[in-house]
Amino acid sequence: MNKLLGIFLVVIGFGIKAQILNEGDITLSPNVGVPHVSATILKTALKVYYKSNVENKYDIGVKNTPVFNFKGEYLVQNDVSIGLAASYWKMDVDISDLYSQLNQTTSIVEAQVDNTTISIKAMAIGFRGTYHFLADEKDSKWDPFIGGTVGLTRYETNIVFKSTVMGKQVPDGLFNFKSGIGTYFSSTLGVRYYFVKSFGINAELGWDRGALLFGGVVIKFPTKSKAV
C-alpha cells in the first residue's frame, strides 16, 4: 500500500514540476457557453413590442440550449497553438395571442388562441489561434491564454402558425428559412488549470453564438518525445 502511495505522489510531483505545455501537444476541449444573451434580448424586445402595440392578452416563451462548443488545437510552438473550433446553439420562441370570442351557436364566450412557434438553430466552424502566456513555466499548472477564431456560420429558422379563432385562416405548414453561409470572428481570454499533465478544466470569457462565458474540460495528448 505504501509503495502504491509513493508511486502516486511521484506522478503528481512530476505533473507539478514538468513544463505544462510542449511543442506537438494536442488539446481537445468540449465547452458549454452561458448566459445566452441573444435569447434574453429577443424576449425583452418582444415583450416591449407587445406591451406597446397589442391590446389583448398574450404569452411569450423563449427556451434555448446553452452554446455547445468544441475546440481542438495543436501546439506549433510551446506558446502558440492552432486548430479548429465548432459551435452549436438552438432557441425556440413561442408567441400566443389570447382572445375571448362569443360562440354564436352556443352563446358562450370561448377562449381563442393565435400561436406562432419559431425555432432557430445556429452552427459555426472556424480556424482558431491561441497564445499561451506561461508556456515555458516549469512549476505551474496554470495556462492563461488569449485567442481568436475566424470561420463560417449558418442559421436555420423554422416557423409554424396555428389558430383556434373561428373562421380565421393562417398560413399552413412548416416554413423553413436557411441563411447563406457567412463569416464570423470571435475572440477569447481564458485560463486552463491542469490537475495532472494530461487533464484539466478551463474557463473563457468571449462572445460566440450569443454566449459570453464558457467552461469545460481539456484533455492533452503529447505527440513528440521530450529531449532528456
Side-chain angles (χ1 to χ4, degrees), residues 50-196:
Y50 267 72
K51 187 175 181 179
S52 303
N53 297 276
V54 179
E55 295 181 356
N56 53 279
K57 295 181 180 180
Y58 58 88
D59 183 62
I60 299 172
V62 177
K63 296 180 180 179
N64 63 278
T65 68
V67 177
F68 298 106
N69 180 276
F70 184 86
K71 304 177 182 72
E73 299 178 17
Y74 177 81
L75 266 81
V76 293
Q77 299 177 8
N78 283 1
D79 56 356
V80 176
S81 61
I82 60 174
L84 297 176
S87 300
Y88 172 83
W89 156 75
K90 183 176 184 290
M91 178 169 65
D92 294 313
V93 181
D94 189 83
I95 305 171
S96 295
D97 290 287
L98 311 175
Y99 303 88
S100 295
Q101 187 173 26
L102 177 65
N103 188 318
Q104 300 295 335
T105 303
T106 63
S107 298
I108 297 175
V109 176
E110 298 177 346
Q112 309 291 334
V113 179
D114 282 340
N115 179 261
T116 303
T117 302
I118 305 170
S119 177
I120 304 171
K121 291 187 290 186
M123 293 162 282
I125 186 168
F127 174 83
R128 175 179 167 100
T130 306
Y131 176 78
H132 304 266
F133 293 100
L134 300 181
D136 295 326
E137 293 291 330
K138 297 184 182 299
D139 59 352
S140 175
K141 291 185 175 184
W142 295 95
D143 174 25
F145 59 87
I146 187 170
T149 303
V150 177
L152 303 175
T153 185
R154 185 175 189 180
Y155 288 85
E156 180 177 352
T157 302
N158 294 320
I159 304 176
V160 176
F161 300 96
K162 295 180 181 179
S163 180
T164 63
V165 179
M166 291 181 294
K168 185 172 184 176
Q169 294 184 345
V170 296
D172 189 25
L174 172 67
F175 294 85
N176 178 266
F177 305 93
K178 294 181 180 179
S179 72
I181 296 177
T183 59
Y184 82 97
F185 171 78
S186 65
S187 58
T188 185
L189 177 66
V191 62
R192 293 169 178 168
Y193 178 82
Y194 287 90
F195 296 104
V196 292

Side-chain angles (χ1 to χ4, degrees), residues 7-18:
I7 293 172
F8 176 76
L9 292 175
V10 169
V11 172
I12 295 299
F14 174 78
I16 293 175
K17 296 299 181 182

Side-chain angles (χ1 to χ4, degrees), residues 27-34 66-73 84-88 128 145 188 190-192 200-205 208 211 213-219:
T27 57
L28 303 177
S29 183
N31 286 263
V32 175
V34 294
V67 177
F68 298 106
N69 180 276
F70 184 86
K71 304 177 182 72
E73 299 178 17
L84 297 176
S87 300
Y88 172 83
R128 175 179 167 100
F145 59 87
T188 185
V191 62
R192 293 169 178 168
I201 57 175
N202 78 291
E204 296 187 28
L205 174 65
D208 195 346
L213 301 172
F214 288 85
V217 299
V218 57
I219 304 170

